[in-house]
Amino acid sequence: MIHFWEQKTLSEMTPGEWESLCDGCGQCCLHKLVNEETADVFYTHVACRLLDSKTARCQRYTSRTLEVSDCLDVRNMDSAELAWMPRSCAYRRLSEGKTLPQWHPLLTGDPQSVLSAGVSVANRTISEDNADLDDLEAEIIEWVATWARGKGHLSSPRDTHRHLTHYSSYDPICPNTVTCPLKPFELF
């Protein structure tokens, strides 16, 4: 059987098909720090105030872009902006000509497979309302790691802390968007 995502480009998909691609991991809703010199991206466990920390789902998804001015509307992102998304993101993977990961709910038939695979941010975040946004370096996590661009190994935020810039969890533009690769999960 050939799946719709194997026969259509992202721009050809219906709104329903498009929405079904989201695995609901919540990683795109995390605040990030970007090293301006290297474009390395460091994730924090600080999430958008609308993200339900227990389910990793937006509490007001349909009105999110009205309530949070810089919330992502992934449907309007081009391939360079999609390169900023986590490597596990179906939109990014398909725009790069890759397949969906084995644990994706569209392949497993189980919406909880993202949680079972350890990709979900459920029960792993704090709300931005409860965090010191001026001290996000203290909130950096390693379970969503990034490749150090051009080095082939993980970089440490401690090595680059003088050059880190805060980007909100939903800001689709980071410096050198095309060169902000995120480390793939072991499940790929």
Side-chain angles (χ1 to χ4, degrees):
M1 177 174 141
I2 297 177
H3 302 97
F4 71 85
W5 61 87
E6 297 170 322
Q7 19 182 358
K8 294 182 179 183
T9 65
L10 290 172
S11 61
E12 295 171 332
M13 291 182 188
T14 67
E17 290 169 335
W18 178 272
E19 290 294 326
S20 71
L21 288 175
C22 178
D23 60 36
C25 73
Q27 291 181 17
C28 60
C29 299
L30 299 177
H31 285 256
K32 295 154 218 47
L33 295 170
V34 178
N35 181 310
E36 290 184 4
E37 291 183 353
T38 66
D40 291 343
V41 179
F42 300 98
Y43 278 74
T44 72
H45 72 125
V46 178
C48 169
R49 63 184 170 80
L50 296 182
L51 190 74
D52 181 316
S53 65
K54 291 181 180 169
T55 65
R57 295 293 192 175
C58 183
Q59 297 175 77
R60 292 191 287 283
Y61 183 76
T62 56
S63 63
R64 74 192 189 288
T65 56
L66 299 173
E67 294 186 48
V68 179
S69 62
D70 53 353
C71 182
L72 288 177
D73 184 353
V74 181
R75 183 110 181 159
N76 294 323
M77 295 171 78
D78 61 30
S79 60
E81 291 168 325
L82 285 170
W84 163 88
M85 298 294 280
R87 281 194 185 263
S88 60
C89 175
Y91 305 110
R92 175 181 175 168
R93 292 180 64 83
L94 293 177
S95 76
E96 293 174 345
K98 297 177 181 172
T99 61
L100 297 181
Q102 296 175 356
W103 49 259
H104 196 284
L106 285 175
L107 295 174
T108 66
D110 179 7
Q112 295 300 311
S113 60
V114 67
L115 189 62
S116 302
V119 181
S120 175
V121 303
N123 297 309
R124 300 167 98 177
T125 65
I126 61 171
S127 172
E128 65 189 0
D129 292 338
N130 300 320
D132 180 358
L133 298 181
D134 293 325
D135 189 26
L136 281 177
E137 285 182 50
E139 308 298 344
I140 290 173
I141 54 175
E142 295 186 15
W143 45 269
V144 180
T146 61
W147 283 111
R149 193 167 54 96
K151 298 177 189 170
H153 64 277
L154 289 177
S155 98
S156 166
R158 289 171 285 290
D159 298 337
T160 59
H161 73 277
R162 290 182 302 276
H163 308 288
L164 294 177
T165 301
H166 172 222
Y167 283 82
S168 71
S169 52
Y170 9 80
D171 189 340
I173 306 298
C174 71
N176 303 315
T177 301
V178 176
T179 58
C180 285
L182 303 177
K183 180 181 185 253
F185 290 95
E186 293 176 13
L187 300 164
F188 290 72

